[in-house]
Amino acid sequence: MSSETLKIPQATAKRLPLYYRFLKNLHSAGKLRVSSAELSEAVKVDSATIRRDFSYFGALGKKGYGYNVDYLLSFFRKTLDQDELTKVALVGVGNLGTALLNYNFLKNNNTKISVAFDIDEAKIGSTMSGVTIYHMDDMEKVLTELGITIAILTVPAPFAQSITDRLAQANVKGILNFTPARLTVPATMRVHHIDLAVELQSLVYFLKHYGVNEVEELEEVEE
Amino acid sequence: MSSETLKIPQATAKRLPLYYRFLKNLHSAGKLRVSSAELSEAVKVDSATIRRDFSYFGALGKKGYGYNVDYLLSFFRKTLDQDELTKVALVGVGNLGTALLNYNFLKNNNTKISVAFDIDEAKIGSTMSGVTIYHMDDMEKVLTELGITIAILTVPAPFAQSITDRLAQANVKGILNFTPARLTVPATMRVHHIDLAVELQSLVYFLKHYGVNEVEELEEVEE
DNA sequence: AGTTTTATGTGAAATGGATAACAATGTTTT
DNA sequence: AAAACATTGTTATCCATTTCACATAAAACT
Ligand SMILES: NC(=O)c1ccc[n+]([C@@H]2O[C@H](COP(=O)([O-])OP(=O)(O)OC[C@H]3O[C@@H](n4cnc5c(N)ncnc54)[C@H](O)[C@@H]3O)[C@@H](O)[C@H]2O)c1
Ligand SMILES: NC(=O)c1ccc[n+]([C@@H]2O[C@H](COP(=O)([O-])OP(=O)(O)OC[C@H]3O[C@@H](n4cnc5c(N)ncnc54)[C@H](O)[C@@H]3O)[C@@H](O)[C@H]2O)c1
């Protein structure tokens, strides 16, 4: 059970990067203070939830005043380890992988795709946005050399599991999985699924079956 | 108004497309029946949760036997409106938008990006993967003509809100938002955020602070 | 200085969802 | 056809998260 940081709820942890991003916006805009109500309006999270989230880290605000933007910002910078660059690998430089490669995650998070892998000879050896694309055969070697423990997976689904097994061997601890495959991993690894087809399909389902609030007020009908 | 389909929990609704996808796999593989335990192994959802999810739709299985793959598949096809093609629009044909355009959502869901919009004159009028790219000026007109009510948003963040307002005017009801902006929408609309930077950053946070079961001897997943 | 306003931090309650456990019931075996 | 077996559907329980609501304290105003 690691870490000094007492375990905050996962739901809270997922919102931290969001808070951080908007605090940076506020800072750039020259704002000196912010209330949970204002922040709520910006990030679309209930203000009580924001206060509760912040409270896990102690008393960061002042009653009757709100939160000091600079203080909060530097607190979250530390909490999110934004002083240290996090290097990640990209596996599969196709349509989606290329889009991710060209995106500058550095700008907002201190995170960078530092290396990429593929099997397409046409791509291997070249660089995209300054990132070298290596052959899959060299994956384990390069990853361990660079000490990379996080990978983004954008290969065709049938290869996802076997590549995941190799990543596990290479000491990778986290995978951002864009393939539709549901990966089996050792308990020491963590996978975040970003399943675009599911997102799209479930949005369709919600719209068709939850008929967005059209009649909202009328319903009290408990069955 | 929200349909005869009693309102199932949102968490369940989000899993339906996943179940559907794996049932199709099973069907293709020639499987005739499946138990909640088998399905659980495949989709990585607890078997009790699967049974609970299914039970919202009535008794779909048989005790001592499991579920008939064909029956379940056709039931979910209907439930997910997979007989009817759902047309969606793409706004912003850049790095990410292009990747999405080139992806065939039709293959798995009966969903298709049918039209795209941009402001880049170099792209306007051309087609990508058979999809015509129109000028933003024509957006409202084209959307209402085609009766499209779902849009994927992949434009630079500063434009996200104003375009969203226009989409709302054009009777769009659902947005799949890839921009880091948190959109303000009328109560009649639904937004699903896919925030790639947040996903990546929160994965990093979890790995650093939740120290994935390093020493704790968690036994392997059953099998 | 005193009063009013503002907004935090947090107990308590409400909501929403996941899981354990098992009786019920059908299937398969002998 | 009876016994053994498998697996559902569901009840009860648990857990995580959200939200309410307000005492508290600082800030702003007069
Ligand atoms: N593009 C999208 O919008 C989209 C949407 C939903 C899901 N996905 C999923 O994301 C994944 C990637 O999609 P894509 O559109 O970028 O596919 P793609 O075919 O364009 O790219 C796949 C890349 O992986 C490489 N590759 C193939 N086999 C490999 C292997 N064994 N090892 C390493 N690299 C290998 C290919 O050379 C190619 O560069 C797929 O699983 C797809 O289902 C993509
Ligand atoms: N590419 C990624 O991997 C990635 C990752 C995280 C977030 N995002 C977000 O997704 C969005 C798109 O990213 P991208 O990398 O594709 O950007 P991009 O710059 O490659 O593409 C943006 C596209 O939008 C078009 N556009 C600009 N202004 C427009 C307007 N007013 N109306 C219509 N179209 C307009 C541009 O012509 C361009 O084609 C951005 O908000 C970005 O922050 C992208």
Side-chain angles (χ1 to χ4, degrees):
Chain A
M1 294 146 266
S2 54
S3 79
E4 326 68 46
T5 333
L6 30 155
K7 280 244 221 86
I8 60 172
Q10 303 219 355
T12 297
K14 284 200 182 174
R15 284 187 291 266
L16 296 183
L18 196 61
Y19 295 146
Y20 182 64
R21 177 195 294 159
F22 278 87
L23 285 170
K24 289 215 300 186
N25 291 352
L26 291 175
H27 180 74
S28 306
K31 278 214 100 191
L32 297 179
R33 62 186 257 192
V34 67
S35 67
S36 59
E38 281 177 278
L39 204 47
S40 168
E41 172 55 26
V43 300
K44 309 281 189 255
V45 171
D46 187 274
S47 70
T49 300
I50 292 177
R51 292 198 298 280
R52 169 85 55 201
D53 283 348
F54 287 4
S55 79
Y56 292 115
F57 299 99
L60 303 178
K62 273 193 277 188
K63 298 190 178 182
Y65 174 89
Y67 302 89
N68 178 292
V69 171
D70 282 5
Y71 177 74
L72 213 50
L73 192 56
S74 75
F75 181 86
F76 279 119
R77 179 166 25 245
K78 262 177 280 157
T79 301
L80 288 170
D81 299 291
Q82 289 298 296
D83 295 322
E84 180 192 349
L85 177 74
T86 303
K87 290 182 285 189
V88 311
L90 176 79
V91 186
V93 191
N95 278 308
L96 198 49
T98 301
L100 295 170
L101 254 190
N102 290 332
Y103 188 73
N104 185 10
F105 287 101
L106 254 177
K107 202 172 40 186
N108 300 300
N109 335 349
N110 207 349
T111 305
K112 183 165 187 347
I113 296 178
S114 304
V115 63
F117 302 96
D118 207 300
I119 42 157
D120 185 347
E121 297 290 349
K123 290 167 186 161
I124 293 166
S126 70
T127 68
M128 295 192 56
S129 299
V131 178
T132 304
I133 303 171
Y134 291 92
H135 194 283
M136 283 298 288
D137 289 352
D138 302 325
M139 187 174 77
E140 286 85 343
K141 185 167 134 283
V142 175
L143 286 181
T144 46
E145 259 170 25
L146 295 177
I148 288 179
T149 60
I150 296 179
I152 299 175
L153 197 55
T154 47
V155 297
F159 305 106
Q161 184 60 56
S162 61
I163 292 175
T164 296
D165 296 342
R166 288 177 56 190
L167 290 171
Q169 286 299 314
N171 201 36
V172 164
K173 295 299 180 209
I175 293 181
L176 200 56
N177 175 34
F178 285 86
T179 82
R182 251 37 198 182
L183 304 172
T184 300
V185 294
T188 54
M189 286 183 81
R190 179 161 194 126
V191 180
H192 279 205
H193 294 277
I194 301 188
D195 200 322
L196 303 181
V198 163
E199 292 291 342
L200 185 53
Q201 209 170 353
S202 71
L203 176 61
V204 171
Y205 182 87
F206 277 118
L207 291 174
K208 292 216 175 131
H209 294 260
Y210 285 63
V212 228
N213 302 357
E214 303 171 70
V215 230
E216 196 179 12
E217 282 104 314
L218 310 185
E219 252 68 73
E220 202 86 2
V221 208
E222 38 222 287
E223 262 108 320
Chain B
M1 187 127 97
S2 337
S3 66
E4 303 87 58
T5 331
L6 29 155
K7 281 247 221 87
I8 61 172
Q10 302 220 354
T12 296
K14 284 202 182 172
R15 284 189 290 266
L16 297 183
L18 197 61
Y19 296 146
Y20 182 64
R21 176 194 296 157
F22 278 86
L23 285 170
K24 290 216 300 186
N25 291 352
L26 290 175
H27 181 74
S28 306
K31 278 214 101 190
L32 298 178
R33 61 187 255 191
V34 66
S35 67
S36 60
E38 281 177 278
L39 204 47
S40 169
E41 172 57 25
V43 300
K44 308 282 190 258
V45 171
D46 188 274
S47 70
T49 300
I50 292 177
R51 292 197 299 280
R52 161 95 44 213
D53 283 348
F54 287 4
S55 78
Y56 291 116
F57 299 99
L60 304 178
K62 276 193 276 190
K63 298 190 178 185
Y65 175 89
Y67 302 89
N68 180 292
V69 172
D70 282 6
Y71 176 74
L72 212 51
L73 191 56
S74 76
F75 180 86
F76 278 119
R77 179 166 25 245
K78 262 177 280 159
T79 301
L80 288 170
D81 299 290
Q82 290 298 295
D83 296 321
E84 179 193 350
L85 176 74
T86 302
K87 290 182 287 188
V88 311
L90 177 78
V91 186
V93 191
N95 278 307
L96 199 49
T98 301
L100 295 170
L101 254 190
N102 290 333
Y103 189 74
N104 185 10
F105 287 101
L106 254 177
K107 202 172 39 185
N108 299 299
N109 336 350
N110 208 348
T111 305
K112 183 164 187 347
I113 297 178
S114 305
V115 64
F117 303 95
D118 207 301
I119 44 155
D120 185 348
E121 296 291 349
K123 291 166 185 161
I124 294 165
S126 70
T127 68
M128 295 191 56
S129 299
V131 178
T132 304
I133 303 171
Y134 291 92
H135 194 282
M136 283 298 289
D137 290 351
D138 302 326
M139 188 174 76
E140 286 84 345
K141 184 167 134 284
V142 174
L143 287 181
T144 44
E145 259 170 23
L146 296 176
I148 288 179
T149 59
I150 296 179
I152 299 175
L153 196 56
T154 48
V155 297
F159 305 105
Q161 184 61 56
S162 61
I163 292 175
T164 296
D165 296 343
R166 289 178 56 189
L167 289 170
Q169 286 299 315
N171 200 37
V172 164
K173 294 299 179 209
I175 292 181
L176 201 55
N177 175 34
F178 285 87
T179 82
R182 251 38 197 183
L183 304 172
T184 301
V185 294
T188 54
M189 286 183 80
R190 180 164 193 123
V191 180
H192 279 204
H193 294 277
I194 300 188
D195 199 322
L196 303 182
V198 163
E199 292 292 343
L200 185 53
Q201 209 170 353
S202 72
L203 176 61
V204 172
Y205 183 87
F206 277 118
L207 291 175
K208 292 216 175 128
H209 294 260
Y210 285 61
V212 229
N213 308 349
E214 314 166 60
V215 197
E216 209 102 33
E217 281 299 316
L218 280 195
E219 58 249 67
E220 272 298 309
V221 206
E222 81 308 332
E223 205 279 325

